[in-house]
């Protein structure tokens, strides 16, 4: 069943407030990655708040769905989602990147709700496909989601995992590429062009679904199509905008890993309709 318009509207509001909370946390510690956290907002929020079968009361449920945030630098948006699901204390965003905090700069498996540590790009899809294979061998109905960046596709290990997931026809695995076309210090086209991104995944035997990565209803439909594909793994190529939601930051590599100044934060919050 697709999500109702009402539910989509509520999730849109959730995304708006998550963007503000993430920017405030990065501002507070003067460190972190705003660009890729904002671009992946709808993808993570839809999965965590609506689609994935996870329950804080049963964190070790063998049949829980798993998500690997392969682009681990977008951790602030992951943490904001885990807080909402009750895995982390409500007020913990302000501890982002503090020593001994559960909210480290990149996901750690010491953090409740995190299934796989990440940060080094390129390793997440291998871990996710291993999880998917193990779950299938155990007869579990659980699904595994792997969220990658398009810059991350520069890593050869991604394509080894892509080959392997197709060999084992892992229909319980959905990868999502947050295709914002910008990486750390330039565009993906400048640094290492991906070319025909859909054709590449198709050549590796994947079911490819193209989607607007900020349109929650379209993403919901795309995840449903992926679930219905029983032949093998699916990948959503999700067109997104780096730093989505804050016009003066959008599409700019400069905001990949730069904290906001007090003025920037005030402007961003005003644009997102929040209170300073
Ligand atoms: C193996 C590895 N090399 C380099 C880095 C440094 N690094 C962190 S983020 C990033 C750019 C990632 O770009 P992309 O995957 O497109 O992420 P997004 O734009 O979605 O934030 C780089 C090169 C890293 N984390 N791991």
């Amino acid at each position: 069943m697709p999500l109702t318009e009402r539910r989509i509207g509520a999730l849109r509001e959730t995304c708006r407030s998550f963007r503000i909370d993430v920017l405030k946390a990065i501002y507070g510690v003067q460190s972190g990655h705003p660009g890729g956290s904002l671009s992946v907002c709808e993808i993570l929020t839809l999965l965590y708040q609506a689609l994935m079968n996870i329950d804080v009361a049963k964190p070790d449920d063998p049949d829980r769905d798993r998500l690997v945030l392969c682009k681990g630098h977008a951790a602030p948006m992951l943490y904001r989602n885990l807080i909402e699901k009750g895995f982390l204390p409500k007020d913990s965003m302000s501890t982002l990147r503090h020593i001994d905090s559960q909210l480290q700069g990149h996901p750690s498996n010491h953090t409740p709700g995190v299934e796989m540590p990440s940060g080094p790009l390129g390793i997440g899809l291998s871990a996710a496909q291993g999880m998917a294979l193990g779950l299938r061998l155990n007869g579990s109905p659980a699904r595994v989601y792997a969220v990658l960046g398009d810059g991350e596709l520069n890593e050869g290990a991604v394509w080894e995992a892509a080959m392997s997931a197709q060999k084992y026809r892992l229909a319980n695995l959905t990868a999502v590429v947050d295709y914002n076309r910008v990486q750390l210090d330039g565009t993906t086209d400048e640094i290492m062009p991906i070319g025909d991104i859909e054709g590449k995944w198709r050549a590796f035997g994947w079911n490819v679904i193209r989607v607007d990565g900020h349109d929650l209803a379209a993403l919901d439909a795309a995840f449903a199509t992926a679930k219905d594909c029983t032949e093998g793994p699916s990948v959503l190529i999700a067109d997104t905008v780096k730093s989505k939601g804050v016009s003066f930051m959008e599409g700019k590599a400069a905001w990949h890993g730069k904290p906001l100044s007090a003025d920037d934060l005030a402007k961003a919050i005003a644009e997102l309709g929040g209170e300073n």
Side-chain angles (χ1 to χ4, degrees), residues 54-182:
I54 49 167
D55 182 351
V56 68
K58 293 185 287 179
D60 299 323
D61 180 356
D63 290 338
R64 70 192 184 282
D65 291 338
R66 273 76 163 173
L67 185 142
V68 179
L69 182 62
C70 309
K71 41 166 276 181
H73 55 280
M77 193 56 77
L78 171 68
Y79 299 143
R80 186 61 191 84
N81 271 283
L82 291 175
I83 289 171
E84 201 68 13
K85 294 299 284 184
F87 285 91
L88 295 167
K90 273 198 176 348
D91 57 358
S92 54
M93 278 309 275
S94 60
T95 71
L96 178 70
R97 288 181 168 242
H98 288 198
I99 289 173
D100 293 336
S101 165
Q102 288 182 312
L103 284 69
Q104 287 303 303
H106 294 80
S108 148
N109 52 353
H110 299 300
T111 301
V114 170
E115 297 285 356
M116 171 71 196
S118 54
L121 297 166
I123 60 170
L125 189 60
S126 288
Q129 62 110 20
M131 289 175 191
L133 184 57
L135 286 163
R136 194 179 65 193
L137 287 169
N138 288 339
S140 171
R143 297 194 62 78
V144 182
Y145 297 93
V147 179
L148 300 98
D150 60 285
E152 183 174 11
L153 303 185
N154 293 173
E155 300 288 345
V158 171
W159 302 104
E160 296 175 29
M163 269 192 283
S164 167
Q166 143 65 13
K167 170 186 156 101
Y168 292 106
R169 302 198 180 282
L170 297 174
N172 56 348
L173 174 64
T174 303
V176 186
V177 179
D178 176 1
Y179 192 20
N180 61 34
R181 297 166 188 264
V182 177

Side-chain angles (χ1 to χ4, degrees), residues 186-242:
T187 66
T188 296
D189 272 353
E190 287 162 350
I191 291 165
M192 185 62 76
I194 188 70
D196 179 4
I197 187 169
E198 289 185 36
K200 282 199 168 73
W201 283 95
R202 232 173 248 124
F204 279 78
W206 286 57
N207 175 39
V208 178
I209 302 161
R210 191 73 182 242
V211 64
D212 176 339
H214 298 303
D215 180 334
L216 288 158
L219 278 169
D220 181 36
F223 280 117
T225 305
K227 200 171 179 176
D228 284 346
C229 173
T230 53
E231 299 295 301
S234 295
V235 58
L236 272 53
I237 308 296
D239 291 293
T240 58
V241 175
K242 196 132 174 172

